[in-house]
Amino acid sequence: MTKSSKRQFFSSLVGETFKSWENTKIVFDGGTGSGKTYFVINILGGYAKMRKKKMLYLCNRAELKKQVISDAKKANVNDAIFVTTYQSLQKHLCNGETLQHYDYVIADECHYFTNDALFNEYTDKSYQYVMTQRQSVVIYISATAKIFFNWMKKRGIVSEEHYFLIPKTYDYVDKVYFYDKKLLVPKMDQILQTEDASKIIVFCNSTTRMLELYKIYGESANYVASKSAERVRDICDEACIYEHEDGTVTFDKRILVTTKVIDNGVNIKDENVKHIFSEILDVDSAIQALGRKRKISEKDTCTFYLK
């Protein structure tokens, strides 16, 4: 399925029903690349701008925030959409600030409420804010929040007619393997030696692991981590992933070593990315990692490895 057909599929799924949404909760349950964000920004965002309504768009990562801002500008709806992170929202709430009213509240990657609660003690602040916006249309978006979405349906928080399911497709995954940690480097070396152009992405579960791989591959690899990750700041360069003249969005070296920092908001569009290794422990984040590669042709496939 092409990118444009995915957009058309989701638009036809929702149809014109969004024009009747008022003070309700909506669920977009679908895989990465299925057109959820496109619909919200281009279709709903355009409608909100025309009706002079305001939208708050919440992101779980800074990279996703940058991508949404860019998409909103391209769609010429940036004056109707205020984009921020859950973390920034939480700071305002903790400071007791009164926030303005928004007609639409978009909780993108809403699995943030539970997944990030493992290391962020304030996710309940943004969760409570979103759940209590009763004078707004609140849209929950995720590819990996099935349990949360089912709970919302059982509790009657979201009605069946407002639950939009977009089938998840990972048809670009050719094979899936499970591997032992000590076999990562030998397998990567084998790929580098036997495949001339193939690129590799490794998702690490810690900066310690990233430093281990840096000692082995050094300047022959690109490295990306959170700006707050001081231990690896000197070796990382978030600008290493960029759009090239041929339309691909990729990194120049054959290896990209990264963390969950690009688990969403960064879309890799490169047929040469043939191998993705995930050492991330939780399944939801591993699925998000897999979704960073976007299929651009029928021959665009990859192999996925889980530790």
Side-chain angles (χ1 to χ4, degrees), residues 245-262:
E245 292 182 359
D246 61 0
T248 60
V249 180
T250 187
F251 44 97
D252 291 329
K253 298 178 181 178
R254 293 191 63 190
I255 303 172
L256 172 65
V257 181
T258 185
T259 61
K260 286 174 61 175
V261 70
I262 70 163

Side-chain angles (χ1 to χ4, degrees), residues 1-15 18 28 31-44 67 70-72 74-75 166-167 169 267 269 294-295:
M1 185 181 291
T2 65
K3 186 175 182 180
S4 60
S5 64
K6 286 179 181 178
R7 292 172 177 175
Q8 293 169 0
F9 170 76
F10 188 53
S11 296
S12 63
L13 181 66
V14 178
F18 67 91
F28 288 170
T32 55
S34 59
K36 306 182 297 294
T37 304
Y38 177 87
F39 174 84
V40 170
I41 294 175
N42 291 269
I43 308 300
L44 188 59
Q67 184 62 54
S70 175
D71 290 346
K74 290 178 182 177
I166 303 94
T169 59
N267 298 323
K269 302 175 183 177
R294 298 300 171 91
K295 182 178 179 179

Side-chain angles (χ1 to χ4, degrees), residues 172-177 273-277 290 301-305:
Y172 57 90
V173 180
D174 185 40
K175 298 181 180 68
V176 177
Y177 294 107
V273 174
K274 291 294 186 183
H275 303 272
I276 301 176
F277 293 84
L290 177 59
T301 61
C302 73
T303 301
F304 193 52
Y305 307 80

Side-chain angles (χ1 to χ4, degrees), residues 17-281:
T17 60
F18 67 91
K19 295 180 179 179
S20 64
W21 294 344
E22 288 187 15
N23 308 334
T24 190
K25 290 180 169 53
I26 311 291
V27 163
F28 288 170
D29 179 2
T32 55
S34 59
K36 306 182 297 294
T37 304
Y38 177 87
F39 174 84
V40 170
I41 294 175
N42 291 269
I43 308 300
L44 188 59
Y47 179 75
K49 180 177 180 177
M50 180 181 68
R51 298 290 300 274
K52 299 189 184 319
K53 294 181 179 293
K54 293 295 182 182
M55 178 185 293
L56 173 64
Y57 199 112
L58 296 170
C59 305
N60 66 333
R61 301 286 183 264
E63 288 298 324
L64 178 59
K65 175 185 172 182
K66 287 193 291 187
Q67 184 62 54
V68 172
I69 291 174
S70 175
D71 290 346
K73 287 181 179 178
K74 290 178 182 177
N76 195 29
V77 294
N78 51 299
D79 53 341
I81 303 177
F82 176 66
V83 187
T84 189
T85 62
Y86 291 105
Q87 294 88 338
S88 179
L89 172 67
Q90 289 160 193
K91 288 182 181 178
H92 292 298
L93 294 173
C94 288
N95 290 335
E97 298 176 30
T98 300
L99 306 180
Q100 75 171 82
H101 170 74
Y102 291 93
D103 302 287
Y104 298 95
V105 177
I106 313 301
D108 201 356
E109 308 294 355
C110 62
H111 50 269
Y112 164 84
F113 298 135
T114 51
N115 288 16
D116 281 37
L118 297 171
F119 53 86
N120 185 335
E121 62 181 309
Y122 298 110
T123 59
D124 62 305
K125 298 292 184 182
S126 55
Y127 170 79
Q128 290 295 337
Y129 170 83
V130 170
M131 295 297 287
T132 56
Q133 297 308 297
R134 296 184 176 85
Q135 301 303 312
S136 307
V137 175
V138 181
I139 302 178
Y140 301 84
I141 303 175
S142 178
T144 56
K146 182 68 71 177
I147 294 175
F148 176 50
F149 290 160
N150 285 340
W151 174 81
M152 290 178 70
K153 283 200 297 184
K154 289 181 180 179
R155 294 288 297 269
I157 297 172
V158 60
S159 64
E160 195 66 43
E161 64 178 317
H162 289 156
Y163 191 107
F164 296 93
L165 175 64
I166 303 94
K168 303 175 180 65
T169 59
Y170 297 100
D171 54 346
Y172 57 90
V173 180
D174 185 40
K175 298 181 180 68
V176 177
Y177 294 107
F178 293 88
Y179 70 95
D180 187 273
K181 178 180 177 179
K182 66 177 181 290
L183 298 179
L184 173 65
V185 172
K187 182 60 181 177
M188 289 174 62
D189 289 343
Q190 179 190 18
I191 293 168
L192 295 172
Q193 292 167 10
T194 60
E195 300 178 24
D196 291 337
S198 294
K199 292 184 178 180
I200 301 168
I201 302 177
V202 182
F203 283 89
C204 301
N205 60 9
S206 69
T207 55
T208 298
R209 181 59 165 160
M210 179 176 283
L211 288 171
E212 289 175 359
L213 293 176
Y214 177 74
K215 289 180 180 179
I216 298 170
Y217 294 105
E219 298 300 319
S220 64
N222 291 122
Y223 304 87
V224 177
S226 170
K227 291 181 179 179
S228 61
E230 296 183 2
R231 297 181 65 202
V232 294
R233 182 175 297 168
D234 292 340
I235 68 173
C236 289
D237 177 19
E238 64 177 16
C240 69
I241 303 172
Y242 64 97
E243 184 172 0
H244 294 59
E245 292 182 359
D246 61 0
T248 60
V249 180
T250 187
F251 44 97
D252 291 329
K253 298 178 181 178
R254 293 191 63 190
I255 303 172
L256 172 65
V257 181
T258 185
T259 61
K260 286 174 61 175
V261 70
I262 70 163
D263 63 356
N264 51 65
V266 176
N267 298 323
I268 304 295
K269 302 175 183 177
D270 185 355
E271 290 184 349
N272 287 329
V273 174
K274 291 294 186 183
H275 303 272
I276 301 176
F277 293 84
S278 177
E279 300 201 332
I280 299 172
L281 300 180

